[in-house]
Amino acid sequence: MTLDVKICGVNTPDALAAALEAGADFVGFVHFPKSPRHLSVEAAGALSGEVRGRAGKVILTVDADDALLRALVDAVSPDLLQLHGHESPERVAAVRATFGVPVMKVLPVRTSADLASVPAFAAVSDRLLFDAKPDPGALLPGGNGRVFDWNVLHGLDPGLPIMLSGGLDPSNVAQALASVRVDGVDVSSGVESSPGVKSAEKIFAFVRAARAARRFQPPVEGQAS
């Protein structure tokens, strides 16, 4: 089983170069003004143009309206739209239909009860990403460097690719992949030297660790390989 590695919150040419050279499958550009990784529409378009087909381009938004999504789609030509807000299944379906771009819905998780919405979102999404659930009133919906209990996802099979996020870094991604079988891993703050500042060394280390973990670990009992 192959593993997709996504480096999210890429916001400088140096960070992008490191992600591409490390062999990331996806690079994520954040458009959310409260985030230290935020890029304007213009900046996202300029930076994404340097990808040149070497990785999939992902735009992350939070409860964006159609006008903003249209501007971002036109500027970036993304391969995937990552919806990281409170979008309903109906909204996800509408975005997918309106823009003709595959959609990955982010679902915040703390306990198994948070998985109740998986079937509804799986029916309208192309991928699902499970992230640590932020505390009430938190400034950011993700990128907070928090880990959740990965075992909550054990045996989950929504019928489409799933990715894992939330507090992953070079030191724990192997443990995460040993705990739960997923199709990809997503990292942001775990490869930074400070909030919003990517570390090339950590990016390379994360990609190496993730690839090695998937290559040498046997399938998790009870989950598909």
Side-chain angles (χ1 to χ4, degrees):
M1 180 180 180
T2 59
L3 180 78
D4 287 329
V5 178
K6 176 173 171 280
I7 307 297
C8 197
V10 172
N11 56 5
T12 67
D14 286 346
L16 178 60
L20 295 174
E21 290 169 18
D25 299 287
F26 291 96
V27 290
F29 306 105
V30 175
H31 184 89
F32 183 55
K34 294 180 180 179
S35 172
R37 304 161 190 97
H38 170 70
L39 289 171
S40 68
V41 173
E42 295 75 18
L47 192 58
S48 68
E50 298 303 312
V51 176
R52 304 184 191 283
R54 295 173 63 188
K57 297 180 290 186
V58 184
I59 279 287
L60 183 158
T61 61
V62 180
D63 298 315
D65 61 21
D66 281 0
L68 176 55
L69 287 172
R70 173 54 64 195
L72 287 164
V73 167
D74 289 348
V76 175
S77 297
D79 299 287
L80 195 62
L81 290 173
Q82 180 173 330
L83 304 183
H84 213 309
H86 296 91
E87 298 91 357
S88 66
E90 293 76 18
R91 175 59 177 158
V92 173
V95 167
R96 193 167 177 251
T98 299
F99 298 99
V101 177
V103 170
M104 177 164 67
K105 180 67 179 92
V106 181
L107 300 179
V109 177
R110 182 175 295 124
T111 70
S112 58
D114 295 314
L115 302 180
S117 63
V118 166
F121 282 107
V124 295
S125 304
D126 297 278
R127 291 175 179 253
L128 297 177
L129 186 151
F130 297 96
D131 196 1
K133 193 172 188 176
D135 290 331
L139 183 65
L140 302 177
N144 295 299
R146 299 183 59 175
V147 176
F148 67 94
D149 180 5
W150 303 311
N151 291 310
V152 170
L153 302 180
H154 187 77
L156 180 69
D157 183 10
L160 73 171
I162 61 175
M163 299 189 80
L164 179 67
S165 188
L168 296 180
D169 61 37
S171 70
N172 68 10
V173 66
Q175 181 185 355
L177 290 170
S179 300
V180 62
R181 181 63 67 177
V182 292
D183 302 282
V185 288
D186 183 315
V187 66
S188 186
S189 61
V191 291
E192 293 180 346
S193 56
S194 60
V197 180
K198 290 291 186 284
S199 161
E201 180 180 359
K202 290 182 179 181
I203 288 173
F204 275 88
F206 183 87
V207 175
R208 284 195 303 267
R211 299 285 187 221
R214 177 48 54 90
R215 187 176 304 119
F216 296 114
Q217 288 171 353
V220 177
E221 183 179 354
Q223 296 199 25
S225 60

